[in-house]
Amino acid sequence: MTRAHEEEVLARIAKGLVYTESEAAFQAPRRRTEQIFEYNHTPPSETEKRRSLLVAIFGSVGERTVLLPPFHAAFGSNVHIGDDFFGNVNLTFVDDVDIRIGDGVMIAPSVTLTTTGHPVHPSRRADFGRFSEPIVIEDKVWIGSNAVVLPGVRIGYGSVIGAGSVVSRSIPPMTVAFGTPCRVVRPITDEDLATRTAGHEAVPFGSSGGPEEEAGEPGGSVRIGRSVVRECR
């Protein structure tokens, strides 16, 4: 493949148009499969080695990053992570194009962030035909277990995505959203500053599975009016 052809394929990918496995094969050297395998088999005590591997795997990675193995990525080099990130086990990045994650983001177990989908008509899926659109997760977002974030989605600052959600459209900042498809349920307000606090009967949230889980209603839930809706576990 000539350089001009490579640039044409990259331009098509950037526009979210369909491209094939053969057309994109020139990008194979950017896959970090060996380093990801090594990271997933590195003992927890070897913190410096883990850190150096994350720097080698990702396009960029901030400070105080916690990523529990195993994790998986199509490339790794197209993932950009900010400071104070917590990612629980079985996090999957389908990063054929950029996945950009801000500061202070928490992601629960078995979440998939996929920038890539496939055409509906089978004839267009020949040679693994696909399209890709970037994902952006802004600062302070919390994504619950088993959620799937689809191509082209932006999740706004501070928002909470409930467990098991399929996020097919962008979510505005400072909102609680969950469901299949994922929809905004309510805003996050100053009333939430009193939740999960001793002596308060307020809106309990589920756990990210992170290192500072608090006690509360079993399994994690959100109270809306008189009903309790399972949310983030």
Side-chain angles (χ1 to χ4, degrees), residues 94-173:
V94 184
D95 61 319
D96 294 280
V97 296
D98 281 357
I99 296 175
R100 295 192 174 271
I101 299 173
D103 297 337
V105 171
M106 297 193 302
I107 299 181
S110 301
V111 168
T112 298
L113 309 176
T114 177
T115 66
T116 294
H118 301 275
V120 172
H121 198 288
S123 66
R124 302 199 71 195
R125 297 198 296 270
D127 192 15
F128 306 106
R130 56 189 183 264
F131 59 87
S132 300
E133 297 180 44
I135 289 172
V136 177
I137 299 172
E138 296 182 5
D139 296 350
K140 308 292 186 181
V141 166
W142 166 25
I143 301 177
S145 301
N146 294 295
V148 179
V149 180
L150 296 180
V153 164
R154 174 184 287 266
I155 301 177
Y157 173 92
S159 288
V160 175
I161 305 299
S165 296
V166 177
V167 190
S168 56
R169 295 182 180 181
S170 294
I171 302 298

XYZ file of all heavy atoms in Angstrom, residues 94-173:
589
model
N -11.969 -0.876 22.767
C -11.921 -1.138 21.326
C -11.538 0.187 20.689
O -12.369 0.978 20.266
C -13.272 -1.667 20.808
C -13.167 -2.022 19.313
C -13.697 -2.898 21.602
N -10.231 0.423 20.641
C -9.704 1.757 20.335
C -9.105 1.825 18.933
O -7.956 2.217 18.753
C -8.678 2.182 21.393
C -7.467 1.251 21.459
O -7.648 0.012 21.367
O -6.344 1.749 21.601
N -9.908 1.509 17.934
C -9.438 1.676 16.559
C -9.188 3.151 16.249
O -8.382 3.475 15.369
C -10.444 1.080 15.588
C -10.556 -0.435 15.737
O -9.688 -1.138 15.201
O -11.486 -0.895 16.417
N -9.903 4.040 16.943
C -9.598 5.477 16.949
C -9.555 5.919 18.410
O -9.706 5.107 19.321
C -10.617 6.294 16.126
C -10.543 5.900 14.654
C -12.037 6.120 16.650
N -9.410 7.202 18.652
C -9.122 7.691 20.007
C -10.236 7.433 21.019
O -11.417 7.628 20.728
C -8.867 9.201 19.975
C -7.470 9.546 19.498
O -6.675 8.620 19.239
O -7.177 10.757 19.386
N -9.820 7.029 22.213
C -10.636 7.064 23.422
C -9.924 8.007 24.375
O -8.778 7.767 24.755
C -10.783 5.677 24.061
C -11.527 4.727 23.119
C -11.502 5.773 25.413
C -11.602 3.297 23.621
N -10.589 9.091 24.748
C -9.980 10.103 25.620
C -10.742 10.165 26.932
O -11.950 10.420 26.947
C -9.936 11.465 24.932
C -9.020 11.454 23.710
C -8.712 12.828 23.161
N -7.721 12.735 22.100
C -6.401 12.787 22.280
N -5.921 12.959 23.503
N -5.573 12.683 21.258
N -10.022 9.932 28.025
C -10.599 9.864 29.367
C -9.971 10.956 30.211
O -8.744 11.076 30.276
C -10.342 8.477 29.993
C -11.001 7.387 29.127
C -10.850 8.423 31.426
C -10.663 5.980 29.561
N -10.813 11.751 30.881
C -10.329 12.879 31.660
C -9.798 12.489 33.023
O -9.503 11.322 33.302
N -9.701 13.485 33.908
C -9.176 13.286 35.255
C -10.282 12.790 36.196
O -11.457 13.136 36.046
C -8.639 14.603 35.813
C -7.477 15.152 35.010
O -6.803 14.372 34.312
O -7.252 16.384 35.076
N -9.877 11.989 37.183
C -10.786 11.583 38.235
C -11.913 10.678 37.778
O -12.987 10.657 38.388
N -11.691 9.915 36.724
C -12.720 9.007 36.195
C -12.631 7.656 36.896
O -11.540 7.128 37.128
C -12.562 8.839 34.668
C -13.471 7.727 34.135
C -12.848 10.150 33.958
N -13.798 7.082 37.239
C -13.872 5.746 37.836
C -14.707 4.844 36.926
O -15.801 5.223 36.504
C -14.503 5.790 39.223
C -13.716 6.593 40.241
S -14.305 6.294 41.936
C -16.018 6.766 41.797
N -14.180 3.651 36.660
C -14.882 2.688 35.808
C -14.943 1.349 36.539
O -13.921 0.818 36.978
C -14.185 2.537 34.445
C -14.169 3.885 33.712
C -14.883 1.481 33.607
C -13.531 3.844 32.340
N -16.154 0.805 36.681
C -16.403 -0.433 37.416
C -16.054 -1.659 36.558
O -15.667 -1.521 35.391
C -17.867 -0.455 37.856
N -16.209 -2.873 37.109
C -15.811 -4.077 36.370
C -16.591 -4.306 35.078
O -17.762 -3.948 34.957
C -16.098 -5.207 37.371
C -16.026 -4.572 38.703
C -16.568 -3.188 38.509
N -15.872 -4.906 34.109
C -16.467 -5.448 32.876
C -17.168 -4.395 32.025
O -18.236 -4.640 31.458
C -17.431 -6.596 33.213
O -16.750 -7.630 33.890
N -16.559 -3.232 31.925
C -17.064 -2.162 31.059
C -16.366 -2.244 29.701
O -15.175 -2.554 29.618
C -16.846 -0.786 31.713
C -17.074 0.356 30.722
C -17.752 -0.632 32.926
N -17.127 -1.962 28.635
C -16.569 -1.928 27.283
C -16.722 -0.533 26.695
O -17.822 0.026 26.694
C -17.279 -2.935 26.365
O -17.076 -4.257 26.874
C -16.733 -2.859 24.945
N -15.620 0.023 26.214
C -15.614 1.290 25.492
C -15.239 0.974 24.054
O -14.081 0.649 23.768
C -14.606 2.267 26.107
C -14.685 2.484 27.619
C -13.554 3.410 28.083
C -16.036 3.062 28.019
N -16.204 1.022 23.143
C -15.929 0.598 21.772
C -16.139 1.732 20.780
O -17.245 2.272 20.667
C -16.762 -0.630 21.364
O -16.504 -0.958 19.992
C -18.251 -0.415 21.581
N -15.076 2.089 20.082
C -15.165 3.140 19.074
C -15.640 2.602 17.730
O -15.823 3.385 16.800
C -13.794 3.810 18.861
O -12.880 2.852 18.294
C -13.243 4.371 20.153
N -15.828 1.298 17.628
C -16.040 0.677 16.319
C -17.337 -0.119 16.254
O -17.681 -0.844 17.188
C -14.849 -0.226 15.972
O -13.687 0.605 15.813
C -15.063 -1.004 14.680
N -18.043 0.022 15.138
C -19.230 -0.774 14.836
C -19.135 -1.309 13.422
O -18.138 -1.085 12.711
N -20.176 -2.016 12.998
C -20.174 -2.635 11.671
C -21.461 -2.303 10.933
O -22.515 -2.125 11.555
C -20.025 -4.151 11.805
C -18.767 -4.557 12.502
N -17.562 -4.703 11.862
C -18.534 -4.825 13.808
C -16.634 -5.049 12.743
N -17.198 -5.125 13.931
N -21.405 -2.225 9.598
C -22.616 -1.945 8.820
C -23.683 -3.017 9.031
O -23.369 -4.173 9.339
C -22.118 -1.941 7.372
C -20.649 -1.702 7.456
C -20.216 -2.354 8.740
N -24.935 -2.622 8.838
C -26.048 -3.554 9.024
C -26.097 -4.587 7.904
O -26.294 -5.779 8.154
C -27.381 -2.775 9.099
C -28.568 -3.730 9.103
C -27.420 -1.909 10.362
N -25.898 -4.154 6.662
C -26.009 -5.090 5.545
C -24.784 -6.008 5.502
O -23.641 -5.531 5.527
C -26.144 -4.339 4.219
C -26.695 -5.205 3.124
N -25.968 -6.216 2.530
C -27.930 -5.230 2.543
C -26.705 -6.819 1.621
N -27.907 -6.237 1.614
N -24.997 -7.338 5.415
C -23.859 -8.262 5.478
C -22.838 -8.075 4.367
O -21.648 -8.334 4.574
C -24.518 -9.651 5.401
C -25.878 -9.414 4.845
C -26.280 -8.052 5.313
N -23.258 -7.628 3.202
C -22.299 -7.459 2.104
C -21.273 -6.380 2.421
O -20.151 -6.412 1.904
C -23.029 -7.127 0.803
O -23.659 -5.863 0.885
N -21.644 -5.439 3.294
C -20.713 -4.369 3.658
C -19.783 -4.791 4.791
O -18.885 -4.043 5.164
C -21.466 -3.106 4.046
C -22.381 -2.587 2.939
C -22.740 -1.144 3.158
N -21.596 -0.273 2.912
C -21.535 0.999 3.308
N -22.534 1.521 3.999
N -20.481 1.734 3.045
N -20.020 -5.980 5.361
C -19.137 -6.479 6.418
C -18.066 -7.428 5.886
O -17.328 -8.033 6.670
C -19.956 -7.170 7.517
C -20.923 -6.253 8.235
C -21.390 -6.836 9.562
N -22.143 -8.068 9.402
C -23.472 -8.140 9.242
N -24.192 -7.014 9.195
N -24.070 -9.300 9.123
N -17.984 -7.568 4.551
C -16.922 -8.376 3.961
C -15.567 -7.824 4.374
O -15.391 -6.607 4.479
C -17.056 -8.370 2.440
N -14.612 -8.735 4.625
C -13.271 -8.338 5.076
C -13.377 -7.493 6.353
O -12.641 -6.542 6.547
C -12.536 -7.584 3.977
C -11.047 -7.400 4.284
O -10.529 -8.101 5.197
O -10.414 -6.544 3.633
N -14.335 -7.878 7.209
C -14.542 -7.207 8.503
C -14.767 -5.702 8.346
O -14.226 -4.897 9.108
C -13.378 -7.495 9.457
C -13.104 -8.951 9.637
C -11.994 -9.552 9.051
C -13.963 -9.750 10.368
C -11.739 -10.899 9.206
C -13.726 -11.108 10.530
C -12.617 -11.694 9.939
N -15.568 -5.332 7.360
C -15.899 -3.931 7.152
C -16.444 -3.286 8.418
O -17.273 -3.877 9.115
N -16.000 -2.085 8.709
C -16.362 -1.426 9.960
C -16.244 0.091 9.823
O -15.720 0.604 8.848
C -15.469 -1.912 11.097
C -13.968 -1.734 10.852
C -13.200 -2.454 11.943
N -11.763 -2.303 11.848
C -10.955 -3.180 11.270
N -11.453 -4.261 10.692
N -9.641 -2.992 11.266
N -16.744 0.782 10.847
C -16.587 2.229 10.947
C -16.179 2.551 12.377
O -16.460 1.775 13.303
C -17.885 2.964 10.579
C -19.056 2.587 11.458
C -19.296 3.238 12.649
C -19.904 1.560 11.080
C -20.356 2.880 13.467
C -20.984 1.187 11.887
C -21.208 1.848 13.077
N -15.532 3.673 12.588
C -15.030 4.036 13.917
C -15.254 5.519 14.186
O -15.058 6.343 13.289
C -13.532 3.723 14.033
O -13.283 2.342 13.823
N -15.658 5.834 15.421
C -15.815 7.216 15.858
C -15.275 7.344 17.281
O -15.482 6.459 18.109
C -17.283 7.635 15.821
C -17.895 7.616 14.434
C -19.350 8.034 14.475
O -19.668 9.021 15.160
O -20.170 7.363 13.819
N -14.574 8.444 17.599
C -13.932 8.589 18.916
C -14.927 8.630 20.067
O -16.091 9.029 19.911
C -13.197 9.935 18.808
C -13.096 10.208 17.351
C -14.300 9.591 16.722
N -14.459 8.234 21.242
C -15.199 8.334 22.503
C -14.473 9.330 23.396
O -13.239 9.311 23.488
C -15.297 6.965 23.201
C -16.255 6.039 22.433
C -15.735 7.105 24.664
C -16.252 4.618 22.942
N -15.247 10.193 24.075
C -14.691 11.137 25.048
C -15.429 10.954 26.369
O -16.660 11.016 26.411
C -14.816 12.598 24.577
C -14.292 13.546 25.650
C -14.067 12.806 23.268
N -14.673 10.739 27.436
C -15.224 10.661 28.787
C -14.601 11.803 29.579
O -13.388 11.812 29.821
C -14.930 9.303 29.438
C -15.574 8.192 28.606
C -15.446 9.262 30.882
C -15.183 6.799 29.044
N -15.416 12.773 29.957
C -14.891 13.960 30.604
C -14.550 13.701 32.073
O -14.792 12.609 32.604
C -15.902 15.101 30.458
C -16.128 15.509 29.000
C -17.081 16.670 28.861
O -17.508 17.245 29.882
O -17.408 17.028 27.700
N -13.977 14.706 32.740
C -13.513 14.574 34.125
C -14.640 14.119 35.059
O -15.809 14.477 34.877
C -12.993 15.921 34.643
C -11.777 16.416 33.883
O -11.208 15.659 33.077
O -11.403 17.597 34.098
N -14.248 13.361 36.091
C -15.103 13.013 37.229
C -16.285 12.103 36.875
O -17.229 11.986 37.661
C -15.640 14.269 37.931
C -14.586 15.280 38.325
C -13.672 14.780 39.413
C -12.719 15.861 39.876
N -11.785 15.383 40.925
N -16.259 11.468 35.736
C -17.331 10.545 35.358
C -17.166 9.226 36.102
O -16.052 8.780 36.393
C -17.324 10.313 33.832
C -18.185 9.117 33.432
C -17.782 11.561 33.104
N -18.301 8.592 36.409
C -18.318 7.265 37.028
C -19.202 6.363 36.175
O -20.359 6.675 35.922
C -18.837 7.386 38.458
C -19.233 6.103 39.119
C -18.786 4.836 38.852
C -20.163 5.959 40.195
N -19.378 3.927 39.683
C -20.230 4.595 40.508
C -20.936 6.870 40.900
C -21.060 4.104 41.516
C -21.761 6.385 41.902
C -21.812 5.013 42.212
N -18.641 5.240 35.703
C -19.362 4.298 34.850
C -19.531 2.984 35.610
O -18.555 2.382 36.053
C -18.617 4.062 33.528
C -18.444 5.391 32.779
C -19.358 3.056 32.657
C -17.656 5.278 31.492
N -20.782 2.523 35.741
C -21.091 1.315 36.500
C -20.782 0.037 35.737
O -20.554 0.025 34.520
N -20.804 -1.073 36.470
C -20.420 -2.386 35.943
C -21.210 -2.786 34.698
O -22.404 -2.522 34.589
C -20.646 -3.457 37.013
O -19.906 -3.190 38.168
N -20.507 -3.446 33.781
C -21.105 -4.055 32.583
C -21.746 -3.044 31.629
O -22.535 -3.425 30.759
C -22.129 -5.131 32.967
C -21.477 -6.317 33.641
O -20.697 -7.034 33.033
N -21.775 -6.506 34.914
N -21.417 -1.776 31.768
C -21.900 -0.783 30.810
C -21.117 -0.897 29.502
O -19.956 -1.327 29.485
C -21.772 0.625 31.378
N -21.771 -0.512 28.410
C -21.141 -0.476 27.092
C -21.306 0.927 26.521
O -22.428 1.433 26.431
C -21.771 -1.503 26.130
C -21.108 -1.436 24.760
C -21.679 -2.917 26.709
N -20.194 1.537 26.151
C -20.205 2.871 25.552
C -19.873 2.712 24.070
O -18.825 2.166 23.715
C -19.210 3.813 26.243
C -19.237 5.192 25.596
C -19.520 3.912 27.734
N -20.763 3.190 23.206
C -20.678 2.937 21.768
C -19.980 4.076 21.020
O -19.712 5.134 21.595
C -22.089 2.711 21.229
C -22.804 1.465 21.784
C -24.200 1.337 21.193
C -22.002 0.198 21.513
N -19.672 3.864 19.732
C -18.891 4.841 18.970
C -19.501 6.237 18.963
O -20.719 6.419 18.851
C -18.903 4.247 17.553
C -19.069 2.784 17.755
C -19.961 2.647 18.943
N -18.625 7.234 19.059
C -19.015 8.625 18.927
C -19.615 9.264 20.157
O -20.015 10.431 20.122
N -19.662 8.549 21.274
C -20.315 9.055 22.487
C -19.371 9.948 23.277
O -18.173 9.669 23.400
C -20.801 7.880 23.361
C -21.126 8.340 24.784
C -22.014 7.217 22.731
N -19.921 11.032 23.832
C -19.237 11.871 24.811
C -20.048 11.839 26.097
O -21.262 12.096 26.073
C -19.106 13.313 24.320
C -18.527 14.270 25.379
C -18.500 15.710 24.879
N -17.473 15.913 23.885
C -16.237 16.353 24.130
N -15.875 16.643 25.379
N -15.371 16.521 23.156
N -19.399 11.533 27.220
C -20.054 11.542 28.526
C -19.549 12.775 29.271
O -18.357 12.927 29.511
C -19.769 10.255 29.313
C -20.268 9.045 28.516
C -20.446 10.306 30.683
C -19.966 7.706 29.161
N -20.486 13.652 29.643
C -20.134 14.945 30.199
C -19.631 14.890 31.624
O -19.838 13.920 32.363
N -18.997 15.973 32.018
C -18.355 16.127 33.328
C -19.258 15.657 34.473
O -20.425 16.053 34.584
C -18.004 17.603 33.542
C -17.480 17.918 34.936
C -16.111 17.886 35.210
C -18.353 18.217 35.974
C -15.635 18.161 36.476
C -17.886 18.497 37.251
C -16.525 18.461 37.498
O -16.065 18.720 38.758
N -18.697 14.815 35.338
C -19.341 14.451 36.594
C -20.502 13.494 36.500
O -21.098 13.149 37.529
N -20.853 13.044 35.328
C -22.041 12.207 35.171
C -21.816 10.788 35.671
O -20.681 10.304 35.772
C -22.498 12.191 33.713
O -23.065 13.427 33.376
N -22.926 10.111 35.996
C -22.929 8.725 36.464
C -23.703 7.890 35.457
O -24.841 8.211 35.115
C -23.583 8.601 37.852
C -23.695 7.139 38.270
C -22.801 9.387 38.892
N -23.078 6.803 34.988
C -23.723 5.871 34.070
C -24.018 4.580 34.834
O -23.110 3.945 35.373
C -22.817 5.561 32.859
C -22.396 6.850 32.146
C -23.531 4.594 31.909
C -23.529 7.655 31.580
N -25.292 4.194 34.893
C -25.700 3.031 35.667
C -25.223 1.718 35.079
O -24.948 1.593 33.876
N -25.139 0.716 35.933
C -24.681 -0.613 35.540
C -25.565 -1.197 34.449
O -26.779 -1.020 34.446
C -24.684 -1.533 36.751
N -24.927 -1.896 33.514
C -25.654 -2.575 32.455
C -26.179 -1.675 31.361
O -26.871 -2.145 30.454
N -25.844 -0.405 31.397
C -26.356 0.534 30.391
C -25.665 0.341 29.048
O -24.497 -0.043 28.974
C -26.138 1.976 30.863
O -26.866 2.251 32.025
N -26.403 0.647 27.985
C -25.837 0.720 26.642
C -25.916 2.177 26.211
O -26.996 2.699 25.927
C -26.586 -0.187 25.655
C -26.014 -0.026 24.249
C -26.505 -1.651 26.093
N -24.766 2.833 26.192
C -24.716 4.280 25.962
C -24.493 4.519 24.473
O -23.379 4.433 23.979
C -23.609 4.943 26.796
C -23.739 6.462 26.724
C -23.659 4.471 28.240
N -25.576 4.803 23.763
C -25.515 4.978 22.318
C -25.555 6.439 21.907
O -25.312 6.750 20.734
C -26.674 4.230 21.645
O -27.916 4.659 22.161
N -25.876 7.344 22.854
C -25.902 8.777 22.580
C -25.148 9.510 23.676
O -25.028 9.010 24.791
C -27.341 9.280 22.517
C -28.141 8.692 21.365
C -29.530 9.268 21.321
N -30.300 8.713 20.217
C -31.541 9.046 19.922
N -32.173 9.952 20.672
N -32.172 8.491 18.901
N -24.677 10.699 23.361
C -23.906 11.475 24.332
C -24.766 11.853 25.533
O -25.978 12.064 25.418
C -23.329 12.725 23.671
O -22.372 12.362 22.688
N -24.106 11.936 26.701
C -24.762 12.231 27.973
C -24.265 13.592 28.452
O -23.057 13.835 28.508
C -24.441 11.141 29.019
C -24.882 9.759 28.507
C -25.094 11.474 30.356
C -26.360 9.609 28.261
N -25.173 14.506 28.824
C -24.740 15.839 29.265
C -24.043 15.801 30.618
O -24.157 14.814 31.358
C -26.053 16.629 29.337
C -27.107 15.600 29.525
C -26.639 14.380 28.798
N -23.342 16.867 30.988
C -22.648 16.905 32.279
C -23.612 16.832 33.457
O -24.791 17.212 33.366
C -21.934 18.272 32.251
C -21.859 18.643 30.818
C -23.080 18.074 30.178
